[in-house]
Amino acid sequence: MKNLPADSITGASPTAVDFRYYRDPEIFEAEQRHIYAGPTWSYLGLEAELPNPGDFIASIIGAVPVVLTRGPQGALHGWVNRCAHKGAMVCRRQRGNAKDGSFVCVYHQWAYDAEGNLAGAPFQRGVRGQGGYAADFDRAEHGLQKVRVASLSGMVFGTLSDSAPPLESFLGEVMCANVRRVLNRPIRILGYARQMMAGNWKLYSENSRDSYHGGLLHLFYPTFGIYRPSQDSQGEIDTNGFHSLFSVFKSSTAIDYKNFSSEANREMKGAATLQDARVIQYKPDIADNVALSIQSLFPSVVLQQIQNTLAARQVIARAVDQTELIWTYFGYADDDAEMTRHRIRNLNLVGPAGYISMEDGEAVELCQNGTAGSDGARSYVAMGNEGGILLHVAPLGMDENNVRGFWKGYFELMRGWDQVNARP
Amino acid sequence: MPDLDHIRRAVNVLNTEYAHCIDDDELERWPDFFTEDCEYQIIGRENVEAGLPAAIMFCDSRGMLIDRVVALRKANVYPEHVSRHLVGHCRITEVKGDLIRSEANYVVFQTRLDGETRIFNAGKYVDEIVSSGETPKFRRRSCIYDTHRIQTLLVTPI
Ligand code: FES
Ligand SMILES: [Fe+2]
């Protein structure tokens, strides 16, 4: 066994993954228990989406529909969107404001408060002595299932697990620091986009932790001969491997795409020139030297700062081979009209129609299609695996360090499942 | 008093030409449907109704439309497909000098290499058309879509 460097994390470095992890419905079911209902925090939304008492948004933890609310006192609450009576979805809208602060199930009108407590059920005492619940019916025992929620600089997470560590220890210092950095001042929601990919959620999770594909799959920059004015960069993970942070720093050196094109298999076409370069213009947002950050927080969100696009991408595993991305775009509350317009123009780079992001949807689907009939076949994620899984890699690029970190964290959570279901 | 029937006919012709240009994969001609200082966007109905400005495609010059086409041809990677637009009759909402405001429902079907045709995007065009030149052109075209779930990705304009 090789001696690992001091800044690597202990445990195996998975360099191959059986393709059935992307297509086996049994594994998908197990993930619901071990990952999403396990000791993890799932992204629920941004506080800026529910600024006022009574505001709510519908969200999700794994397959479990969850509602995030703001109570009369301004506190955040979360509950599973499943009526304690017959299980009907109580909240039927994506977002809104509950005027009187109550959430009423339409089926038999059980009414809950923002915290999910049962406030009343009609005809609890029956009608003229007939029907109704027993005298010892205790409303306190028939509330909605509560979800622990926690917010970090306005980014809200929830967990179904009592054993999940506090949010900030789950994320780790490095990750928390970047969330605070991006959300350093009040934000303004600019809108949403949703994208459905016919592929497993882990293909997208890997994609957002994969710095290797950037210049090879996304050819917008080289095609238009755009030399990104920076090449100092780094990749980081937390000590469990779950979360990934890519940062690119401002510097004077440029990426040499000429050298790059001889290495890449696909021909670099170059030659084209942007007619309107405002689309890639960058106006520094934060007073530091980070020009780009892509932060993947296990299991369900990517927080990005690419040019002046700011977004949370919620990764929702709808089925073993269906993943939905919900892009929530934002700017800062102190943006003027021109800055907002600039951000909207910059959004051409990202999202479902993004110049440098649309290909990810195609890559996920191609990989999913490739898993068909892959009996025992495995991936090969060994790029740059010399020192095991490293907490810090610089510069970014030709390695799959953070992908291996993801798998290490994933397999540790799934271990119980694997022991029970180990196949020869 | 502008001749509404005449205007309707002209806008329907414009919409038809526009749709065929995209569906016949003559995208290099697509920017010609717009004025130089145009604004083109593809935006979710949920954003429009909530007063939120984020669009998935937003071009506020004809140059940006050209860039979209060049990127599609040379840079972007996407599932091979053809589009088929069905555009409803226009509804003229305002006529003010050379400026026509118009709306039209649309459905875009998409057929990929597997040969299945799927509804890719349904929505409504909300347009500002300038009729001063030789041919009417879009000064503004908003494609406001109901189909919030974009399947895989969107690369071809609507
Ligand atoms: S299911 Fe909700 S009140 Fe009956
Ligand atoms: Fe990518």
Side-chain angles (χ1 to χ4, degrees), chain A residues 28-42:
Chain A
F28 186 78
E29 285 304 314
E31 288 169 350
Q32 297 301 321
R33 300 187 300 277
H34 290 257
I35 308 281
Y36 295 108
T40 60
W41 289 85
S42 289

Side-chain angles (χ1 to χ4, degrees), chain A residues 21 27 30-31 34-35 409-418:
Chain A
Y21 276 91
I27 293 176
E31 288 169 350
H34 290 257
I35 308 281
Y410 173 90
F411 283 125
E412 269 167 22
L413 286 175
M414 289 289 280
R415 191 179 291 145
W417 177 84
D418 237 18

Side-chain angles (χ1 to χ4, degrees), chain A residues 195-196 275-276 345 348 365, chain B residues 54 58 60-61 67 150 152:
Chain A
Q195 183 176 5
M196 199 71 173
Q275 301 289 310
D276 190 338
R345 201 179 289 118
N348 281 294
E365 296 194 356
Chain B
F58 176 85
D60 61 347
S61 69
D67 292 337
I150 302 294
T152 318

Side-chain angles (χ1 to χ4, degrees), chain A residues 83 85-88 105 107-110:
Chain A
C83 183
H85 177 221
K86 295 275 293 275
C105 177
Y107 201 174
H108 311 86
Q109 295 195 17
W110 283 30

